[in-house]
Amino acid sequence: MGSQLLTFINDFNFFMFLLFALMYSYQFVYMIVAFKNKKNKKTVMENSHPNKYAVIIAARNEELVIGQLIKSIKNQKYPKELIDIFVVADNCTDDTAKVAKSAGAIVKERFNKVNIGKGYALDFMIKIIEREYSFKKYEGYFVFDADNLLDENYIGEMNKTFNKGYRVITSYRNSKNYDQNWISAGYALWFLHEAEYLNLPRMALNTSCAISGTGFLVHADLIKGNGGWIHHLLTEDIEFSVSQIIKGEKIGYSRNAMFYDEQPVTFDQSWHQRLRWAKGFYQVFAKYGSSLLRNTFRGQHNRFSCFDMTMTIMPAMLVSSFSMMVNGLFYLTGILGFFDGKEIIHATTMVLLNSFGWYYGILFTLGFITTLTEWKKIHCSGWKKIAYTFTFPFFMFTYIPISIVALFKKVEWKPIAHTVVKSLDDVR
C-alpha cells in the first residue's frame, strides 16, 4: 500500500504540472508573436483626428501624489482644450480635494461608507459628468489612479488606437518605484510582461486584450449603454474586461502610450492587495464563468478571447491551490505515521522540490526575457534589474498561499497609501 501511495504522489504531481503546462502553452505562442512584432519597426500613417476626453481619477487620501498626476496630464502633447480632468475625492479625510482643485481639476467629493470601492466612485463621477457636463460631448473617458504619471505622448497615442475603432483600450504600464525592493519589482515586472507578452500578441492576433486596474480608455457610448459604471466586484477591472468580451467587444492595446504607477513595498500591503485580487478573480469566475465557457465552445464571437480570459482569472490559482492542499495531505499522512511515514515525507519533499525547480525556471525565464527586452524602459540600476529577475519567481510563488486563503476568507476593499512623490522627470 505504501509503494502504491508513493507512485500516486509522483503521478499526481506530474499530472498537475502537465495540466498547468497544457493550459498555458498558448502563451508561449504569444511570446513568439510578441518577438515578431517587437522587431517590426514599420511605421503606418495614423488617423490623428483629436477627440475630446474626460479624465476621471478616483482618489482616497491621495494629497501627496495627485498633484503630480494632474501636472503630467496638463503637460500632454495634445490639444489642452480637448481634455478635462475630473477628480472624485472618495471618503477622503485629508486635503486631496483641495490639492486637486488647486492643480486645475474639477473636483467632486463623495462620502459613502456603505458602497465602498473604486467602481462606486467611478459611477458617481460618470453620473455627474453625464448630468452636468453633457454639453461637452466627450468621446471617451480615461481612468487613472491618483498615483499614476503619464508620458507626455500618452493621450495622443491612445487617441490613435481609439481612432482605429477600439472602444476600450489599455496601455503600457511601467513603475515609479521599480528599484525600491523585490516586492515593487515583482509587481512591475509582471505588469511589463502583461503589456508586451500578453496584450501585444493579443493585439497582433486580432483577439481581445484586458484592462488592468488603471490606465485605460472607454468610449462614452459604451459607458452610456451600460448605464454607467456597473461593475462592483473586488476586481472591477477584470470584471469589466470579461463582461465586455462576452458581449463581443475587442479591447485594444496602445503600446506607445506609457504611464507609471506606484507599487506596494511591504509584504503586508502586498498580501492584502493581492488577496483582494485573488478573491475578486474567484468572484468574477463565479459570476461570468459559465458564460465564458459557453462562449469558448459555442459562442459566435470572441471564442478564443473567452478561453484566454478563463485561463486568466481561474486555473493557475486553483491548480496551484489544489496541488498544495493535496501535497499537504500527503505530508500529514507521513507525520501521523500512516504507511511508511519517513518514506512518504521524503518522496513528497523530493517531488515538491523538483516541481519548484521547474516552476522557478519557467518564471525566471519569463522575467529574464521581459527584463532584457524592456531594459531601457526599466528605470533602475543594471545590477538591480538582474537581481530582481531572480526574486521575481519568489514573488509569484507567494500567490499560492494568497489564493488558498482567498478561497475561505472574507475580503473587503482597503486603500493602499501612496507615498512615492515623484515627477515624470524624477522617474526617468
Side-chain angles (χ1 to χ4, degrees):
M1 188 67 177
S3 62
Q4 290 178 334
L5 182 59
L6 290 175
T7 301
F8 178 77
I9 292 172
N10 283 293
D11 290 346
F12 169 79
N13 282 281
F14 176 74
F15 173 77
M16 296 305 290
F17 178 80
L18 186 62
L19 177 64
F20 196 91
L22 287 173
M23 288 190 304
Y24 291 96
S25 58
Y26 75 98
Q27 292 193 6
F28 288 98
V29 176
Y30 274 4
M31 295 194 75
I32 295 171
V33 174
F35 278 125
K36 181 180 178 181
N37 280 270
K38 279 177 173 292
K39 292 178 180 179
N40 185 4
K41 301 295 184 181
K42 188 186 295 183
T43 57
V44 180
M45 292 297 292
E46 302 281 1
N47 178 0
S48 58
H49 167 70
N51 297 287
K52 190 172 183 62
Y53 299 112
V55 175
I56 303 177
I57 306 164
R60 182 170 182 178
N61 293 337
E62 302 281 14
E63 63 179 4
L64 292 178
V65 295
I66 195 166
Q68 291 293 344
L69 168 58
I70 295 171
K71 181 180 177 181
S72 72
I73 297 171
K74 287 185 169 294
N75 287 340
Q76 290 293 296
K77 294 179 179 178
Y78 193 83
K80 291 178 173 45
E81 67 276 9
L82 298 181
I83 307 171
D84 289 330
I85 305 168
F86 295 86
V87 172
V88 50
D90 189 34
N91 289 307
C92 291
T93 57
D94 68 353
D95 287 332
T96 295
K98 182 179 178 181
V99 172
K101 201 171 296 183
S102 298
I106 300 167
V107 181
K108 301 294 180 180
E109 295 186 82
R110 174 182 181 268
F111 297 97
N112 190 320
K113 300 297 184 182
V114 178
N115 295 327
I116 298 174
K118 182 178 174 181
Y120 292 107
L122 290 177
D123 189 56
F124 172 82
M125 183 56 83
I126 288 169
K127 293 286 198 302
I128 290 175
I129 293 172
E130 291 179 343
R131 185 173 63 248
E132 300 179 13
Y133 297 88
S134 59
F135 66 93
K136 294 274 191 173
K137 297 182 180 179
Y138 298 113
E139 293 289 332
Y141 299 110
F142 280 97
V143 177
F144 299 110
D145 289 340
D147 60 297
N148 297 163
L149 291 173
L150 311 187
D151 178 85
E152 57 268 15
N153 297 309
Y154 183 92
I155 292 180
E157 291 295 334
M158 292 287 276
N159 185 66
K160 292 176 183 178
T161 307
F162 189 82
N163 283 335
K164 292 178 181 178
Y166 287 96
R167 299 201 301 168
V168 186
I169 306 164
T170 188
S171 53
Y172 187 103
R173 187 173 184 175
N174 210 328
S175 176
K176 290 162 64 175
N177 61 329
Y178 192 107
D179 63 344
Q180 208 157 353
N181 62 20
W182 70 281
I183 296 172
S184 63
Y187 277 99
L189 192 50
W190 173 256
F191 289 136
L192 293 176
H193 173 79
E194 183 179 58
E196 288 294 274
Y197 290 97
L198 294 179
N199 282 332
L200 174 61
R202 286 165 176 161
M203 191 74 167
L205 293 171
N206 197 31
T207 184
S208 181
C209 305
I211 65 171
S212 181
T214 184
F216 61 92
L217 170 62
V218 184
H219 199 292
D221 288 347
L222 191 151
I223 294 293
K224 187 175 182 179
N226 284 347
W229 188 272
I230 59 175
H231 306 286
H232 304 297
L233 298 182
L234 288 172
T235 47
E236 78 287 328
D237 54 343
I238 197 67
E239 182 190 4
F240 174 76
S241 296
V242 168
S243 68
Q244 295 309 309
I245 288 169
I246 288 172
K247 292 177 182 178
E249 200 75 40
K250 280 187 181 178
I251 300 173
Y253 168 57
S254 180
R255 67 182 308 217
N256 294 321
M258 184 187 299
F259 77 100
Y260 302 81
D261 71 342
E262 179 182 340
Q263 312 305 338
V265 293
T266 69
F267 192 76
D268 182 63
Q269 282 183 330
S270 178
W271 174 276
H272 288 294
Q273 184 185 60
R274 290 185 290 151
L275 188 66
R276 174 174 63 83
W277 291 353
K279 192 72 172 183
F281 276 31
Y282 292 147
Q283 290 176 343
V284 172
F285 190 81
K287 185 173 181 178
Y288 298 94
S290 59
S291 296
L292 279 173
L293 292 172
R294 185 168 56 252
N295 279 19
T296 297
F297 295 104
R298 294 185 298 170
Q300 299 300 312
H301 46 245
N302 280 6
R303 293 178 64 178
F304 181 77
S305 297
C306 288
F307 165 76
D308 192 4
M309 287 301 102
T310 305
M311 294 298 104
T312 298
I313 65 176
M314 201 59 176
M317 291 192 292
L318 274 189
V319 169
S320 300
S321 300
F322 179 69
S323 179
M324 287 293 292
M325 287 189 284
V326 172
N327 280 289
L329 289 176
F330 293 153
Y331 266 106
L332 188 61
T333 61
I335 292 171
L336 294 178
F338 298 115
F339 312 113
D340 188 337
K342 290 184 178 179
E343 193 171 354
I344 296 298
I345 292 172
H346 178 265
T348 307
T349 301
M350 293 307 296
V351 168
L352 287 177
L353 287 174
N354 186 51
S355 297
F356 172 83
W358 276 103
Y359 286 123
Y360 181 93
I362 292 171
L363 290 169
F364 174 80
T365 301
L366 295 180
F368 184 71
I369 291 173
T370 304
T371 299
L372 286 183
T373 58
E374 309 309 299
W375 185 273
K376 293 181 179 179
K377 298 176 184 176
I378 299 174
H379 301 289
C380 73
S381 60
W383 73 268
K384 282 188 175 182
K385 295 178 189 180
I386 297 299
Y388 290 144
T389 60
F390 288 94
T391 60
F392 174 68
F394 293 109
F395 173 80
M396 298 300 292
F397 284 147
T398 60
Y399 270 106
I400 296 174
I402 288 171
S403 62
I404 294 174
V405 172
L407 280 170
F408 307 103
K409 185 178 174 63
K410 182 180 179 181
V411 181
E412 297 179 347
W413 184 87
K414 293 182 180 179
I416 291 180
H418 295 119
T419 58
V420 178
V421 184
K422 290 183 177 180
S423 68
L424 196 59
D425 290 336
D426 291 333
V427 172
R428 297 188 298 203

